[in-house]
Amino acid sequence: MSSPTPLSPHAARSDSLGCSARSLGQSQELQGSEFSFYRKRVDGRELSQVQTPPSDRGFLVGISMAPQHRRSIFRGSQAARFDFGAGAVYTRDFSEEYRADLQGPFDFLLMELPLSWFHTASDELRAGQRRVTGLATVTGQSDPILAHLACALAPALAQARPQPDSLLFVDQLGVAIGTHLLRRYGGASAPSSQTVRLSRLHEERAKQMLLQKGRGNVSIPEIARECNMSASYFLRAFKASTGHTPHQWLLVQRVEMARHYLRQTELSLAEIALACDFCDQSHFSRVFTQVAGTPPGTWRRSQR
């Protein structure tokens, strides 16, 4: 097959992932505690291109959020063509040059995993397991689990200014995605099925750090390090101990605080939202309804 179509000087202006800035209809980025996340979309049917030189950035994983995408990936002068359905994924090693012709529209959610994370993750694997240094190369392979996690993550990238709660949620999803990638494409074995729990001391410390979340920038990896465990182990142990993920637990505590204000004070819903560290009244009402089963105004009237 022939070489890729030469890039014009205008199209050569590209972003950090090698996408032509001119052709992108959507370009969003969100920095988590350990990973970088992107949403890249092209609406037109014209040919677009991706090209990046080798680097030490680690690995990139892309999840197709839309059906019927096709790309030709070049190695030297040879190319292979791949079709992507919704939920199809690819992995890309930044240490290798990447060149691809993208035919028609596409919509991808992408996650960048730095090399430093692989070093840390390998150290946290069970004793006796081989060291994981990267991910196997896959292109166009269906991965329903990764597709589900990507759909859960997508709304956070759409926020113009992510709130602390969103970043905590992104941390949780990042750990879940990273763990899945290590098992499916890195050769890591699944964790023991034995139920793990936090000690009373670690549980109290984790809850204390979460309650301080509204006044700081604490992350899941930071809490896990405080408890002397990996982020993935901490998440499993926290949920086994409390019945909730850290993000869910924090929201439940804020709803309990809001119940006190609704019952004992005449503060408005907007004032209670602010006092309980919700983003705004709309966010407060939505979360309260999810947890309590009824809107806060209705709940207040029922108590009186």
Side-chain angles (χ1 to χ4, degrees):
M1 185 174 291
S2 61
S3 299
T5 306
L7 291 170
S8 69
H10 185 71
R13 292 199 293 272
S14 58
D15 63 13
S16 64
L17 299 182
C19 299
S20 171
R22 181 185 66 174
S23 59
L24 285 171
Q26 179 181 9
S27 181
Q28 298 166 328
E29 181 175 349
L30 178 61
Q31 182 63 53
S33 299
E34 297 182 297
F35 311 112
S36 298
F37 301 93
Y38 309 87
R39 184 77 179 267
K40 304 289 182 180
R41 192 188 79 241
V42 165
D43 298 319
R45 297 193 171 277
E46 69 275 6
L47 180 75
S48 57
Q49 296 176 317
V50 171
Q51 183 170 348
T52 55
S55 71
D56 60 357
R57 289 171 59 179
F59 285 77
L60 184 72
V61 176
I63 306 102
S64 178
M65 307 295 283
Q68 299 180 338
H69 168 63
R70 175 174 291 177
R71 67 177 56 190
S72 297
I73 300 177
F74 290 83
R75 290 183 177 273
S77 60
Q78 301 299 312
R81 181 173 294 176
F82 299 91
D83 292 314
F84 288 78
V89 306
Y90 74 89
T91 61
R92 176 172 150 195
D93 186 345
F94 277 118
S95 69
E96 302 174 355
E97 182 184 20
Y98 187 85
R99 294 183 298 151
D101 283 350
L102 314 182
Q103 283 110 41
F106 67 84
D107 184 0
F108 274 82
L109 191 145
L110 305 112
M111 176 176 176
E112 182 175 341
L113 302 91
L115 289 176
S116 58
W117 178 77
F118 286 97
H119 300 156
T120 302
S122 289
D123 291 340
E124 293 169 347
L125 294 173
R126 290 191 309 229
Q129 185 172 328
R130 72 176 182 83
R131 195 172 184 82
V132 177
T133 58
L135 303 175
T137 300
V138 297
T139 308
Q141 180 173 310
S142 177
D143 190 330
I145 294 176
L146 205 54
H148 174 75
L149 293 170
C151 288
L153 178 65
L157 272 80
Q159 296 177 357
R161 293 185 178 180
Q163 300 296 323
D165 283 349
S166 297
L167 296 177
L168 185 64
F169 182 61
V170 166
D171 270 354
Q172 288 180 187
L173 283 177
V175 171
I177 293 172
T179 302
H180 173 72
L181 292 171
L182 280 181
R183 294 178 200 163
R184 181 155 184 177
Y185 307 112
S189 32
S192 169
S193 58
Q194 181 181 2
T195 301
V196 295
R197 291 181 178 273
L198 296 174
S199 68
R200 180 170 302 213
L201 179 64
H202 284 157
E203 183 177 341
E204 290 177 355
R205 180 58 180 145
K207 289 177 177 178
Q208 180 186 38
M209 294 179 74
L210 285 168
L211 290 174
Q212 294 171 347
K213 176 70 179 175
R215 297 182 292 277
N217 240 346
V218 68
S219 66
I220 294 295
E222 286 174 323
I223 301 174
R225 284 193 294 270
E226 187 74 13
C227 297
N228 297 316
M229 58 189 67
S230 70
S232 58
Y233 187 98
F234 166 74
L235 284 177
R236 288 193 294 128
F238 188 93
K239 187 166 186 179
S241 300
T242 67
H244 300 284
T245 67
H247 180 251
Q248 291 168 340
W249 182 87
L250 182 59
L251 293 181
V252 168
Q253 304 316 301
R254 291 177 178 171
V255 167
E256 288 304 311
M257 186 187 302
R259 280 186 168 124
H260 167 77
Y261 284 118
L262 289 167
R263 191 167 40 232
Q264 302 294 337
T265 76
E266 297 298 328
L267 293 175
S268 68
L269 297 186
E271 290 170 326
I272 294 175
L274 182 63
C276 296
D277 289 327
F278 289 100
C279 302
D280 50 34
Q281 182 177 334
S282 175
H283 181 222
F284 165 49
S285 296
R286 184 170 65 254
V287 172
F288 190 98
T289 302
Q290 290 172 350
V291 173
T294 185
T298 304
W299 189 90
R300 169 180 262 176
R301 289 190 293 273
S302 72
Q303 297 300 302
R304 295 182 176 179

